[in-house]
Amino acid sequence: MLVKITTWLVTYVSVVLLFPVAIAVYRKKHLTKELKAIAVYLCFALFSEVVSIVTAELLNNNLPFLHFYTIIEFAIISWFYKTYLQNFIPEGVFYVAIALFTVLAVLNFIYVQPLTGFNTYPRGLESIIFVFFALATYYKMIQTLEIIYIEKSPLFWINAGFLFYFAGSLFLFVLGNLLLRMDLRLSMLSWAIHACLLGLTYIFIAIGLWYSPQQQEPH
C-alpha cells in the first residue's frame, strides 16, 4: 500500500507543476527580475520531469540525470536569490557558491557517489545553502520593511516554498542512500513526504506568481 501511495505521489506531483507554469505564462508581462528566474526554474523543472520519466522507462534508472539536474537547479535558484539579495549579500558570494558547488558536485559523481547512485551529498549541501538564503531573504524583508502587504508579496510565497522544501527534504537528501539500505518502507515514506513537499512548493510558487502584478519597490 505504501509503495502504491509513494509511486502515485512521485508520479503525479508533476501535474501540480503545470499550475505555476501556466500562471508564469499568463503573467509573463508582469514578471520582475526575481520572477523571471522562477519562470526559468519552472521551465527547467518541467523539462526535467519529462527527461526523468523517459530515462526511467528506457534505462530503468534516472539517477544519472539527477546529478546534472542538481547542478543546474542550484545555479537557477541562486540566480533568483542573487537578484533580491545582491545589495544585502555581496554579489560575488553567489558566483563563488555556484562555481564551488559545481566543482564539488562533479567531483562527487567522479570519486564519491557514482552517477548510478543518489547524490546525497550535493543535495544536502544545496539544501543547507538555500535554507540560509531563504532565512536571509526574510531577514532583509524585516530589516528594510519594503513590503507592506506581505501576504500579497510574490517573493514571500516563493521563498516560503523553497524554505519548506529544502528544510523539509534535508533529512532525506543527507540520509537517502542509508535509508534505502536499512529500511525500504522508511525510505518509501521519506520519498512520499518529499513528493508532498515538492507539490507544496509548486503551489506556493503558483500563489507568488499570481500576485506578480503587485510590483515590488526597487531594491
Side-chain angles (χ1 to χ4, degrees):
M1 183 64 178
L2 180 58
V3 174
K4 290 183 179 180
I5 293 175
T6 302
T7 303
W8 187 89
L9 287 171
V10 171
T11 302
Y12 290 101
V13 70
S14 56
V15 176
V16 183
L17 174 59
L18 296 177
F19 289 98
V21 169
I23 294 175
V25 173
Y26 180 69
R27 300 284 193 179
K28 62 181 180 180
K29 294 182 180 179
H30 303 284
L31 300 182
T32 58
K33 288 190 298 182
E34 300 94 17
L35 299 185
K36 287 178 181 178
I38 293 300
V40 172
Y41 165 74
L42 292 173
C43 291
F44 175 65
L46 185 60
F47 168 77
S48 300
E49 287 289 342
V50 175
V51 173
S52 179
I53 293 172
V54 171
T55 53
E57 289 292 330
L58 296 179
L59 305 177
N60 200 32
N61 186 350
N62 57 14
L63 289 177
F65 175 72
L66 180 61
H67 287 260
F68 298 101
Y69 169 87
T70 302
I71 294 173
I72 299 174
E73 178 189 62
F74 184 85
I76 295 174
I77 298 180
S78 294
W79 168 31
F80 161 70
Y81 280 115
K82 180 186 74 69
T83 57
Y84 180 71
L85 293 172
Q86 60 186 353
N87 295 325
F88 193 71
I89 296 176
E91 188 173 357
V93 170
F94 295 93
Y95 295 123
V96 171
I98 293 172
L100 286 178
F101 183 85
T102 300
V103 171
L104 290 174
V106 171
L107 290 176
N108 179 71
F109 69 68
I110 293 177
Y111 297 109
V112 184
Q113 296 174 312
L115 288 173
T116 53
F118 185 36
N119 56 338
T120 56
Y121 298 138
R123 297 294 282 176
L125 177 60
E126 178 188 42
S127 296
I128 293 172
I129 293 173
F130 286 148
V131 166
F132 169 76
F133 285 160
L135 293 176
T137 296
Y138 282 136
Y139 182 74
K140 180 184 177 182
M141 288 181 183
I142 296 172
Q143 287 289 97
T144 59
L145 297 176
E146 62 186 357
I147 298 175
I148 300 176
Y149 300 105
I150 196 169
E151 74 280 1
K152 293 184 178 181
S153 164
L155 190 62
F156 168 79
W157 286 103
I158 294 170
N159 190 57
F162 284 141
L163 180 58
F164 283 138
Y165 174 70
F166 287 108
S169 300
L170 180 58
F171 175 79
L172 173 63
F173 289 157
V174 172
L175 301 177
N177 287 331
L178 180 62
L179 290 174
L180 185 59
R181 290 194 300 267
M182 291 180 58
D183 190 330
L184 180 58
R185 287 181 59 82
L186 182 58
S187 178
M188 295 297 292
L189 179 60
S190 299
W191 281 111
I193 295 173
H194 172 265
C196 292
L197 288 171
L198 186 57
L200 181 64
T201 300
Y202 291 150
I203 291 172
F204 275 32
I205 290 176
I207 295 173
L209 291 174
W210 185 254
Y211 284 120
S212 56
Q214 304 296 323
Q215 300 292 331
Q216 302 299 304
E217 296 179 4
H219 303 138

